[in-house]
């Protein structure tokens, strides 16, 4: 490496994410690099361009993967620039980089975006100074299972690459890091005059709840809701786009948490927030003046399962010997099994942990370090703006389950949405989704949307029908025809009018002992028709729903049709499906 000592000790961490996990990982990496006296910056990849990359000596990329091995939407502009054919092979000869990927082995293409980025940067001259890391959500410790050991190796390599100058020392892990903010008491008047950044964000629009109705049978185990939201603004969106909603924690849950923390008497005292460390992020749309009650209602999450770094902060802030001993055990390499059994296996929440570690006293300055942000949630839009102007429809399953501790759990955002009544208001953003429709109206489209994966399919089918497109096939799957067949009357009406071929798989309605039937099984049964649509008429295939085994099984069923009726070999059929993905004729938007 070349340049001055000060320049050599600067480091950039760039994150690309859909869910926020990559941002948390980037913060963690930067925090550890600061321990060895690096000057770190953390930036979102959407604020980063190709010329920016050319001017950085050391860059660490933290990249999640979406859909079928696709980069996060925020990464697309930079990725497109990196793929330019006119970039010389030595364009990045001065760049030292490393990549950490976030993924889930439940998906077919694990950490694919990180792998592609690593290969591309090397091909245009970049030096990968430390091997790529791959975090797996399926690991028993989640992403931390790979992130923490990878970061330890990264620190050692950085010290080899850029040794500590004389007079500087490595900050020990046991030392309390500096807080990312400073807080200062202020007046109630200042709070009342403080602007809410979310309300002034032009990307968000005021919605009025028109309808919030359950569409599954009242006795059914799963509560799925149909929402209709009215807007005065002239909102615009396309089929496949998503609605962005900031969750609000239930008042009773917030009050219970504040009591646990001993903050109930100071919960409404206003204070001003000043960012102290710019290599650490803060929640989106955070107001400059706030209170603890507001923060834990809208911005900080106490209901999620904590990361390992949370327990490190508890260790900093307890003086109780028994708690220190237990936390030391959790944080030791040999204590990972006990931490897993205590927290991750049973999905114990931050609030529940803090009810047991009662002697932990968290200073206000550290609340953004200890508690993760309460991030906005994204829901596929289930309507066409052409059919429902000034409206957005949503199809959302209310998150409710029991842990291995037999404790009932509820999703923060779906709990908030479930109690909305007609006339209530909320702010909603719109973001581009992964799904899209073919440019030509006469191109056949096969929609595969089991469960709440039906949401974007409803948007797309409404749009296609409104445009006069009749070559639509929908494969819908659920458990019971009478209990959870979402929007059944609409699909049957379209089918009667010959605007849609409607194929259904009800996995729990068969006779006892008979094999269960899923959407992929129907596609295999319809293989001759699938070959005609996909092979002869170049149909598109859109898939939405749970990642699990469904998307891969759907592709296998399409390959079976190509092989059985298209005269292709098994390998040729798989290659045909792979090319469909590459060409954008087969698009997935699935989640784990």
């Amino acid at each position: 490496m070349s340049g001055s000592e000060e320049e050599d000790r600067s480091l950039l961490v760039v994150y690309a994410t859909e869910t926020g996990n990559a941002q948390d990982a980037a913060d963690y990496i930067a925090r550890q690099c600061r321990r060895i006296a690096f000057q770190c910056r953390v930036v979102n990849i959407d604020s980063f361009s190709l010329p920016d990359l050319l001017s950085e000596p050391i860059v660490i990329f933290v990249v999640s993967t979406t859909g079928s091995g696709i980069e996060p939407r925020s990464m697309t502009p930079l990725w497109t620039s990196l793929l330019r054919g006119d970039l010389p092979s030595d364009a990045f000869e001065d760049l030292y980089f490393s990549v950490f990927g976030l993924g889930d082995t439940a998906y077919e293409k694990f950490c694919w975006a990180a792998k592609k980025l690593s290969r591309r940067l090397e091909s245009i001259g970049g030096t990968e100074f430390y091997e790529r890391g791959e975090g797996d959500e399926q690991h028993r410790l989640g992403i931390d299972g790979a992130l923490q050991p990878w970061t330890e190796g990264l620190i050692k390599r950085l010290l080899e690459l850029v040794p500590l100058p004389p007079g500087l020392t490595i900050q020990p892990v046991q030392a309390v890091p500096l807080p990312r903010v400073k807080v200062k008491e202020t007046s109630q008047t200042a709070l009342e005059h403080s602007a809410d950044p979310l309300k002034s964000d032009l990307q968000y629009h005021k919605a009025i709840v028109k309808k919030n109705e359950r569409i599954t049978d009242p006795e059914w185990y799963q509560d799925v809701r149909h929402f209709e939201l009215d807007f005065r603004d002239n909102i615009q969106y396309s089929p496949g786009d998503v609605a962005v909603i900031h969750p609000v924690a239930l008042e009773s849950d917030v009050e219970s948490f504040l009591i646990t923390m001993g903050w109930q008497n100071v919960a409404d005292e206003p204070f001003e927030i000043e960012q102290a460390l710019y290599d650490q992020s803060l929640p989106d749309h955070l107001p400059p003046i706030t209170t603890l009650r507001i923060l834990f209602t809208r911005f900080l999450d106490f209901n999620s399962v904590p990361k390992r770094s949370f327990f490190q902060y508890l260790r900093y802030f307890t003086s109780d010997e028994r708690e220190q001993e237990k936390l030391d055990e959790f944080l030791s390499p040999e204590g990972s099994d006990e931490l897993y059994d205590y927290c991750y296996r049973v999905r114990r929440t931050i609030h529940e942990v803090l009810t047991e570690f009662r002697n932990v006293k968290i200073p206000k300055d550290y609340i953004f370090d200890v508690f993760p942000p309460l991030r906005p949630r994204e829901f596929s839009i289930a309507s066409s703006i052409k059919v429902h102007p000034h409206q957005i429809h949503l199809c959302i399953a209310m998150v409710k389950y029991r842990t291995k501790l037999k404790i009932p759990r509820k999703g923060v955002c779906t709990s908030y949405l479930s109690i909305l009544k007609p006339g209530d208001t909320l702010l909603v953003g719109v973001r581009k989704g992964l799904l899209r429709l073919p440019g030509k109206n006469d191109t056949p489209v096969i929609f595969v949307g089991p469960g709440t994966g039906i949401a974007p399919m409803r948007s797309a089918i409404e749009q296609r029908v409104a445009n006069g497109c009749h070559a639509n096939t929908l494969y819908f799957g659920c458990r019971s025809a009478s209990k959870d067949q979402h929007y059944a009357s609409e699909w049957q009406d379209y089918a009667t009018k010959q605007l849609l071929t409607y194929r259904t798989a009800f996995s729990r309605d068969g006779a006892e002992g008979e094999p269960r039937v899923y959407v992929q099984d129907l596609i295999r049964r319809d293989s001759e028709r699938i070959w005609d649509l996909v092979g002869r008429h170049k149909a598109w295939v859109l898939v939405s729903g749970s990642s699990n085994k469904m998307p891969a099984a759907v592709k296998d069923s399409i390959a079976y049709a190509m092989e059985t009726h298209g005269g292709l070999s098994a390998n040729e059929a798989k290659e045909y499906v792979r090319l469909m993905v590459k060409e954008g004729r087969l698009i997935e938007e699935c989640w784990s």
Side-chain angles (χ1 to χ4, degrees):
M1 297 187 68
S2 61
S4 72
E5 194 172 87
E6 183 180 353
E7 290 172 334
D8 285 348
R9 297 203 70 78
S10 65
L11 182 149
L12 184 69
V13 186
V14 180
Y15 65 88
T17 186
E18 296 285 346
T19 63
N21 278 346
Q23 185 176 1
D24 291 342
D27 283 347
Y28 175 79
I29 292 167
R31 197 160 59 239
Q32 300 309 308
C33 290
R34 196 179 344 116
R35 288 178 44 235
I36 57 171
F38 268 86
Q39 300 298 315
C40 302
R41 289 181 295 131
V42 177
V43 300
N44 191 326
I45 202 165
D46 64 6
S47 62
F48 200 66
S49 66
L50 196 64
D52 294 329
L53 193 57
L54 288 167
S55 64
E56 297 291 340
I58 305 176
V59 180
I60 298 168
F61 292 92
V62 186
V63 180
S64 61
T65 297
T66 61
S68 181
I70 301 170
E71 75 280 355
R73 283 161 281 201
S74 60
M75 180 177 165
T76 299
L78 179 63
W79 180 239
T80 303
S81 298
L82 287 171
L83 292 178
R84 279 171 34 194
D86 60 347
L87 285 177
S89 59
D90 60 351
F92 290 90
E93 62 180 355
D94 295 327
L95 175 68
Y96 285 70
F97 76 92
S98 186
V99 180
F100 185 83
L102 287 81
D104 188 323
T105 46
Y107 285 75
E108 187 179 5
K109 293 186 175 180
F110 173 62
C111 287
W112 207 251
K115 293 172 182 176
K116 290 193 296 185
L117 177 63
S118 177
R119 288 196 293 265
R120 180 55 180 162
L121 289 174
E122 278 200 306
S123 74
I124 49 179
T127 300
E128 190 169 33
F129 72 90
Y130 184 61
E131 63 186 1
R132 184 181 65 250
E134 296 178 353
D136 180 11
E137 287 285 1
Q138 296 298 317
H139 189 282
R140 60 181 191 160
L141 298 181
I143 295 298
D144 283 350
L147 176 63
Q148 297 209 343
W150 182 84
T151 306
E152 289 172 8
L154 174 78
I155 295 297
K156 291 177 183 176
R157 181 68 185 111
L158 282 170
L159 286 171
E160 294 171 359
L161 197 66
V162 189
L164 274 174
L168 292 181
T169 58
I170 297 175
Q171 185 183 31
V173 175
Q174 294 77 15
V176 183
L178 295 172
R180 67 184 72 188
V181 302
K182 296 177 182 177
V183 301
K184 183 175 66 175
E185 291 184 5
T186 187
S187 66
Q188 189 67 33
T189 302
L191 175 65
E192 291 167 359
H193 288 87
S194 177
D196 184 342
L198 186 61
K199 292 181 179 179
S200 60
D201 188 336
L202 298 179
Q203 301 300 312
Y204 285 80
H205 308 273
K206 183 179 179 180
I208 303 169
V209 178
K210 179 183 179 183
K211 189 177 289 187
N212 171 5
E213 65 179 16
R214 179 170 177 147
I215 57 174
T216 46
D217 186 274
E219 302 301 318
W220 192 240
Y221 79 100
Q222 188 177 47
D223 178 2
V224 176
R225 304 287 183 92
H226 171 75
F227 292 87
E228 294 182 9
L229 308 176
D230 285 340
F231 296 81
R232 292 192 178 94
D233 292 349
N234 185 28
I235 57 168
Q236 296 296 322
Y237 58 86
S238 301
D241 287 355
V242 297
V244 184
I245 297 175
H246 284 255
V248 176
L250 295 179
E251 184 178 334
S252 58
D253 290 348
V254 174
E255 184 66 23
S256 173
F257 171 75
L258 292 170
I259 291 170
T260 295
M261 299 301 297
W263 287 338
Q264 66 271 33
N265 294 330
V266 296
D268 299 302
E269 294 179 359
F271 56 87
E272 186 175 348
I273 300 168
E274 178 187 345
Q275 188 163 5
L277 297 177
Y278 287 89
D279 63 350
Q280 302 288 282
S281 60
L282 293 175
D284 289 341
H285 301 96
L286 183 70
I289 297 174
T290 188
T291 67
L292 287 171
R293 189 181 304 278
I294 292 171
L295 285 178
F296 287 102
T297 300
R298 293 181 51 199
F299 299 101
L300 293 175
D301 192 356
F302 56 88
N303 285 305
S304 61
V305 177
K307 296 183 181 298
R308 187 175 180 273
S309 57
F310 169 80
F311 291 94
Q312 181 65 67
Y313 275 101
L314 297 196
R315 179 63 180 84
Y316 295 144
F317 299 130
T318 181
S319 56
D320 183 85
E321 291 185 5
R322 286 180 298 178
E323 290 184 352
Q324 290 175 347
E325 184 178 335
K326 176 56 70 176
L327 290 165
D328 285 339
E329 186 176 357
F330 284 164
L331 295 166
S332 67
E334 58 275 10
S336 61
D337 288 343
E338 182 148 352
L339 178 58
Y340 170 75
D341 288 337
Y342 172 77
C343 185
Y344 303 110
R345 185 177 68 84
V346 298
R347 299 191 61 76
R348 202 181 298 266
T349 67
I350 289 172
H351 187 185
E352 289 166 346
V353 171
L354 288 167
T355 61
E356 298 193 5
F357 288 83
R358 298 302 297 264
N359 295 289
V360 171
K361 303 299 179 188
I362 299 168
K364 274 187 187 179
D365 285 350
Y366 281 90
I367 53 177
F368 295 101
D369 300 284
V370 176
F371 299 98
L374 185 57
R375 290 194 168 88
R377 308 297 200 257
E378 295 186 355
F379 301 99
S380 295
I381 295 174
S383 55
S384 163
I385 195 70
K386 190 167 187 176
V387 179
H388 305 282
H390 295 279
Q391 281 196 346
I392 282 178
H393 296 184
L394 302 172
C395 177
I396 302 174
M398 301 296 104
V399 178
K400 294 180 181 178
Y401 63 97
R402 286 186 179 272
T403 69
K404 293 183 184 295
L405 295 173
K406 307 301 181 185
I407 298 172
R409 290 275 192 269
K410 297 181 294 183
V412 176
C413 193
T414 57
S415 293
Y416 161 60
L417 294 173
S418 70
I419 60 175
L420 291 176
K421 303 180 297 299
D424 286 346
T425 62
L426 68 159
L427 292 170
V428 179
V430 175
R431 188 170 296 167
K432 293 300 295 179
L434 296 175
L435 298 181
R436 67 184 190 282
L437 289 172
K440 295 182 178 179
N441 285 340
D442 58 352
T443 302
V445 178
I446 299 168
F447 301 93
V448 185
T452 53
I454 197 64
M457 305 312 180
R458 184 174 184 262
S459 174
I461 292 170
E462 282 189 345
Q463 183 103 337
R464 295 257 301 171
V465 170
N467 288 337
C469 309
H470 300 172
N472 306 304
T473 300
L474 171 61
Y475 286 88
F476 175 75
C478 63
R479 294 194 173 200
S480 169
S482 61
K483 305 293 187 184
D484 62 337
Q485 188 182 177
H486 311 324
Y487 306 111
S489 60
E490 294 181 18
W491 312 133
Q492 290 158 1
D493 183 57
Y494 284 146
T496 299
K497 296 174 180 176
Q498 297 187 330
L499 303 174
L500 175 73
T501 299
Y502 182 41
R503 299 284 284 136
T504 54
F506 306 120
S507 62
R508 301 299 191 271
D509 281 354
E512 188 174 350
E514 289 185 359
R516 292 173 178 173
V517 178
Y518 301 98
V519 288
Q520 57 264 31
D521 302 314
L522 290 183
I523 293 170
R524 190 170 285 254
R525 289 178 187 177
D526 296 347
S527 58
E528 186 171 0
R529 185 170 185 272
I530 295 298
W531 155 248
D532 183 61
L533 289 171
V534 173
R536 289 197 177 101
H537 294 95
K538 306 303 177 187
W540 283 35
V541 179
L542 305 185
V543 184
S544 178
S546 171
S547 64
N548 208 358
K549 299 178 181 178
M550 183 270 294
V554 166
K555 285 187 278 192
D556 286 344
S557 295
I558 295 171
Y560 172 81
M562 300 298 104
E563 181 182 355
T564 306
H565 300 283
L568 304 181
S569 69
N571 287 337
E572 288 171 339
K574 289 180 179 177
E575 178 62 16
Y576 186 95
V577 174
R578 191 190 69 79
L579 286 174
M580 287 181 67
V581 174
K582 185 176 181 180
E583 293 167 358
R585 283 177 55 206
L586 194 160
I587 309 173
E588 298 173 35
E589 181 154 276
C590 300
W591 54 87
S592 57

